[in-house]
Amino acid sequence: MRGNAAELYKLINADPEKKQDLFRQALQNPKGAMQAICALGNKMNLPVTPEEVKEYLQTIDDSETKQWLIKARGGL
């Protein structure tokens, strides 16, 4: 399912509104943001676990994602 995390990230990243919504949620409720990411994966037939999302995000090497992770670290 690690491939699902990569594919889901691409889809979220390509949707600025969805990406911003998840960013806002992560600032207010990091665990809720993770739940929303996993629910979105299920909805899009790309199931992921929180662990898979965390593992995949650690491989991302772009400054915007790194900044998001720093702010949302508590729940991710």
Side-chain angles (χ1 to χ4, degrees):
M1 277 198 259
R2 188 170 190 274
N4 285 352
E7 188 62 30
L8 184 58
Y9 177 83
K10 288 178 194 174
L11 292 173
I12 292 170
N13 203 36
D15 183 341
E17 187 175 325
K18 176 55 76 183
K19 186 176 175 181
Q20 189 65 24
D21 288 345
L22 287 169
F23 176 75
R24 283 189 197 112
Q25 185 173 10
L27 291 176
Q28 297 173 357
N29 179 1
K31 291 186 188 291
M34 181 62 77
Q35 291 170 346
I37 290 168
C38 293
L40 183 62
N42 287 334
K43 181 179 176 183
M44 300 181 92
N45 201 28
L46 294 168
V48 293
T49 65
E51 292 75 25
E52 290 166 335
V53 172
K54 291 177 197 177
E55 182 182 312
Y56 179 72
L57 289 175
Q58 290 175 2
T59 70
I60 301 296
D61 191 29
D62 73 73
S63 60
E64 188 175 322
T65 299
K66 298 272 186 206
Q67 184 69 14
W68 188 85
L69 289 173
I70 288 168
K71 291 182 179 184
R73 187 165 307 234
L76 297 177

